[in-house]
Amino acid sequence: MSQPREHWGSNVGFILAATGSAIGLGNLWKFPFITWENDGGAFVLLYLICILGVGLPIMMAELLIGRKTQKSPVGALKEAIGPWWGWVGAWGVMAGYVILSYYAVVAGWSLLYFVRTVGWSVGGFPAGLQTGDLFVEVIGNGGLQSVLSGLFMVATVGVVYFGVHSGIERVARVCLPILFVILVLLVGSALTMEGAGEALVFIFRPNFSELEPGGILEALGHSFFTLSLGTGAMITYGSYVSPDRSLVKAAGAIVFLDTLIAIFATIIMFSVIFTVPGMTEQVGGSTAGMLFISLPQLFYEVVPFGVALGPMFYLLVALAALTSTISLLEVVVSYFIDERGMARPRATLVSGGSIFVFTVLSALSFGAVPGLSNFEIFDGKAGVFATLDHFASNWALPLGGLLITLGVGWFMTREATEGELVDETTPGWFHYGAWRFFMRYVAPLAVAAILIAVIFFGVDFS
Ligand code: TRP
């Protein structure tokens, strides 16, 4: 039944793949928007605290469970903690399934906008084109939406099909460097813009009187999503690390890079927004608004070298999304391989195909099919897409994260976790005692607070 477990070809390959999982639409699409909604500075600072105090320790915990057991989440949690904990793994697999199904829809938009901006850069931006109307037309077009998200799923399946080393790691090695180069070019261009100064002040000067309690929880909730925690994605990636490699350093690198990119994305977006008079009133409304309505046009009006940088930007979004969809699919695929004894090719096609059914349902839920667009299970969240996003961000990730922290902090022995984290490669900044304290007390209390807020106060993180 069991094939020998695949491993990453190198430590750099592993770090790039995991960083690729972490960096995604969460960084480029969600983070700038929630920073905007929460008035910048103080929220950004809080987010950084959540990343360090909760995200980083849980990142280490997920990776260590994976490396220790060399299994995907269901088997890994059973072996590392206890038989019942397999259900926590199964909950994670289900969450990965749900997130991928709607994530692929937004990823599909990035493909379309890449093609569109290439066209505009070559042929000129059409005079009088209203990007807002264009976007409404795109999302209301069921056929187009299904084709776009379908193309994205095919690409994802195509990579995961070839496995850990020749598929996932190889693509990360190509995509991540390209992604960094494009981002640095964009930040360079953004910093020369008139609004750059105001943008930096907005992002980095904390003004705590502006911060609302909901913002604290939003920062915490987002730190799970952006680091790919709570579904066992990092358990899965950790299970392909061979036992002689340092996890602590890798976790530090992944978390650092993910945070850096989120900050870069906000600098780029706010520099543009603060440069255009009147833009600050127009933003708002929706997350999609910034990326797919305001920005496309501004590349041709205000961004220095925008003609070249516009298409590059949407390429960046698509590549960042791809390395994340790969990790989401891998969580599901590794379950079928490890727990159901399927061969990888079959597991990949079965998972990808069945997830795509839900992707189409999400893709059609922006008006294309009224029955899929209008129902409300959660208040104010109409349609399949909004329902799935709300369920994943508010329920699935925090609950999965809470159980994983409790399991590692309270049900694994000190010896078991210390042995995984501390060895001669462990960097000097890491203190095992501090990590254990954060895992046992700080992280579970913080995550429990999110859940309580969601359940009793109706706070919304999606
Ligand atoms: N972290 C990715 C982002 O920021 C999304 C993602 C990929 C994810 N894999 C995940 C989120 C697993 C939660 C769980 O866009």
Side-chain angles (χ1 to χ4, degrees):
M1 172 203 125
S2 67
Q3 303 115 358
R5 193 158 198 82
E6 270 198 86
H7 285 115
W8 305 108
S10 70
N11 215 22
V12 173
F14 156 55
I15 292 174
L16 287 177
T19 304
S21 166
I23 298 175
L25 299 172
N27 305 59
L28 304 173
W29 181 60
K30 257 185 172 173
F31 184 65
F33 181 69
I34 55 179
T35 300
W36 178 258
E37 271 190 324
N38 288 289
D39 296 306
F43 175 79
V44 173
L45 188 62
L46 255 172
Y47 169 77
L48 295 176
I49 293 170
C50 294
I51 290 281
L52 276 181
V54 180
L56 181 63
I58 300 182
M59 173 68 73
M60 292 173 187
E62 285 206 21
L63 292 175
L64 91 80
I65 296 174
R67 189 185 67 172
K68 180 179 166 61
T69 58
Q70 299 282 301
K71 288 188 174 138
S72 53
V74 174
L77 287 163
K78 271 189 200 162
E79 183 178 316
I81 313 182
W84 282 98
W85 291 82
W87 287 104
V88 177
W91 176 259
V93 174
M94 182 277 303
Y97 194 101
V98 169
I99 296 175
L100 178 52
S101 63
Y102 70 85
Y103 199 94
V105 176
V106 182
W109 298 341
S110 66
L111 279 186
L112 178 73
Y113 277 80
F114 171 58
V115 174
R116 284 272 159 93
T117 45
V118 168
W120 293 335
S121 291
V122 176
F125 189 80
L129 175 71
Q130 293 296 323
T131 40
D133 298 343
L134 176 68
F135 187 67
V136 171
E137 194 186 307
V138 170
I139 62 175
N141 182 335
L144 178 63
Q145 290 264 63
S146 307
V147 171
L148 289 171
S149 52
L151 285 173
F152 214 90
M153 283 299 275
V154 169
T156 308
V157 165
V159 175
V160 171
Y161 189 93
F162 289 102
V164 176
H165 182 51
S166 355
I168 302 175
E169 183 174 349
R170 183 176 290 173
V171 168
R173 276 179 173 278
V174 176
C175 287
L176 270 268
I178 299 178
L179 200 140
F180 284 120
V181 171
I182 297 179
L183 264 169
V184 168
L185 290 176
L186 279 158
V187 170
S189 161
L191 289 177
T192 66
M193 300 182 67
E194 234 167 80
E198 210 180 324
L200 293 175
V201 169
F202 182 82
I203 299 167
F204 293 112
R205 184 185 292 163
N207 176 356
F208 282 95
S209 62
E210 298 283 339
L211 193 70
E212 301 190 2
I216 304 176
L217 296 164
E218 200 163 6
L220 197 52
H222 185 67
S223 60
F224 273 87
F225 189 87
T226 191
L227 294 175
S228 305
L229 299 174
T231 66
M234 290 298 167
I235 297 182
T236 311
Y237 275 23
S239 75
Y240 305 130
V241 176
S242 41
D244 54 340
R245 300 241 160 90
S246 166
L247 288 180
V248 172
K249 260 191 230 159
I254 298 161
V255 170
F256 172 76
L257 290 170
D258 182 75
T259 308
L260 186 72
I261 300 306
I263 299 286
F264 276 4
T266 48
I267 293 178
I268 295 165
M269 255 165 256
F270 295 145
S271 299
V272 176
I273 288 170
F274 284 117
T275 298
V276 186
M279 202 62 210
T280 44
E281 281 90 58
Q282 271 181 51
V283 183
S286 74
T287 335
M290 266 193 206
L291 219 52
F292 298 108
I293 297 175
S294 313
L295 268 183
Q297 186 166 1
L298 297 177
F299 276 115
Y300 298 94
E301 290 172 353
V302 288
V303 178
F305 307 105
V307 173
L309 290 175
M312 278 196 204
F313 176 78
Y314 291 99
L315 178 66
L316 162 83
V317 178
L319 294 180
L322 180 64
T323 50
S324 297
T325 53
I326 289 171
S327 82
L328 288 161
L329 183 59
E330 179 64 17
V331 174
V332 181
V333 167
S334 69
Y335 167 79
F336 283 114
I337 297 177
D338 292 348
E339 301 298 318
R340 303 273 148 168
M342 270 190 205
R344 175 172 286 272
R346 176 141 179 265
T348 312
L349 294 173
V350 168
S351 327
S354 64
I355 291 169
F356 184 58
V357 174
F358 290 91
T359 302
V360 172
L361 297 180
S362 309
L364 299 179
S365 72
F366 295 93
V369 176
L372 297 172
S373 314
N374 300 333
F375 71 90
E376 273 185 33
I377 295 178
F378 303 110
D379 252 359
K381 302 283 154 185
V384 179
F385 182 97
T387 304
L388 294 181
D389 184 26
H390 181 89
F391 170 74
S393 309
N394 287 268
W395 296 92
L397 296 184
L399 185 60
L402 176 64
L403 293 171
I404 291 173
T405 16
L406 289 175
V408 175
W410 293 91
F411 294 88
M412 282 178 83
T413 61
R414 200 183 173 94
E415 293 69 48
T417 48
E418 190 165 15
E420 289 298 315
L421 293 176
V422 182
D423 55 35
E424 56 296 344
T425 62
T426 307
W429 52 263
F430 180 75
H431 290 282
Y432 177 77
W435 176 81
R436 193 161 163 87
F437 177 76
F438 274 89
M439 281 312 286
R440 283 165 79 90
Y441 301 102
V442 180
L445 285 176
V447 185
I450 301 191
L451 281 170
I452 290 171
V454 169
I455 297 169
F456 295 107
F457 303 105
V459 175
D460 181 20
F461 300 105
S462 53

